[in-house]
Amino acid sequence: MATTSERTGNDAALIRPQDGTRGFWTRLTGNPAYQRASDLLLSSDRRRFWLLAVPALIWMFGTHLGPILTMIRISFLDSYPPTAGRVPDVTLENYLLFFQAPNYITPFVRTFVYSTCYTLLTLSLMYPIAYFLAKKLRPSRQMLFLLLLLVPFWVGEIVRTYAIMILLGNRGFLNIVLMGLGLTSRPIPFMYTGFSLGMGLVYLTSLYMLLPLYASLEKIPRNYLEAAADLGAGSWTRFRRVTLPLSKDGIASGCVLVFLISTGYYATPVLLGGPSTTVFAETIAGFFHVAGDKWPEGAAFSTIMLLASLVTVGLFLRLLGRRRGSLLG
């Protein structure tokens, strides 16, 4: 059995590191240099704000804005990657190339048409689901149903795209069901069409529409709808005058996310689309896959796509703001 002195020694050994740490911080905070630095950085709310904001701004500009600016710079060069003994010149030919051939403009326009249609389709499909989760389920069950909806998104984009291919193939589940019911005598060619591409993009982007809609609808107080009902508003009037305007932030966020993601998808259109559904991302990728100085053209086309997407999103948000004003009026 340990004696009292032994126990006292063991307790002192356990306490001693804590005392050492405490002493270190005491010496550090008492250091004049530390105090001057604290006074300089933490003396006002503005300085505390910039102390927290600077690392985030460095990360944002370094990892997001930096690559975009590099891409724009490359788009004005006549050759890239750089080669020994050759200095690239600044040119606008890479941008003019886009307007000189219809085989570039056609997939560009097709991309925006597809992305707009698929965004509206995704909104139409996900809004009722989000409304059901936010307003019809008890709060204790909402997280369970959300988790069930999130499970398919735990796997990668390629795996989910192949799942769509298995579903829509000539020997896929959908054709087996249709032939089993006697609705068709031969497989329907769903694959490599606008239908297969649309189904894949809607499936892959549905989560980005569902979550903003759910978050927006869940925040609408139930007593707003109850007050509208007490004033004689029917179910459609309550939806049109209360629910829809108050959920506009979720609609805007979901549509912007789905639209931007749809315009930039590459692997899914390659796997699910065909020659008649070529999108602009495939055109851009073609410049980077060939040998030679084609990177500037690809960078220029990427810049055009980026600017066009931002302009489209800006117009959509402005239109949505006006629409919201008319609904509230």
Side-chain angles (χ1 to χ4, degrees), residues 163-199:
I164 296 294
M165 297 176 66
I166 294 173
L167 178 67
L168 300 180
N170 289 337
R171 297 183 179 180
F173 177 78
L174 186 56
N175 271 312
I176 291 176
V177 171
L178 292 177
M179 290 188 292
L181 294 176
L183 300 177
T184 179
S185 59
R186 63 181 63 183
I188 300 176
F190 292 115
M191 285 296 300
Y192 313 117
T193 62
F195 174 79
S196 62
L197 177 59
M199 187 171 181

Side-chain angles (χ1 to χ4, degrees), residues 204-247:
L204 292 174
T205 59
S206 58
L207 178 66
Y208 302 101
M209 182 69 74
L210 175 64
L211 293 182
L213 288 175
Y214 167 78
S216 180
L217 290 168
E218 198 272 335
K219 293 179 181 178
I220 300 176
R222 295 182 182 272
N223 55 5
Y224 285 14
L225 301 175
E226 294 172 357
D230 292 339
L231 294 174
S235 58
W236 169 246
T237 302
R238 293 197 301 271
F239 173 78
R240 184 174 60 88
R241 300 301 298 272
V242 179
T243 304
L244 188 60
L246 293 179
S247 62

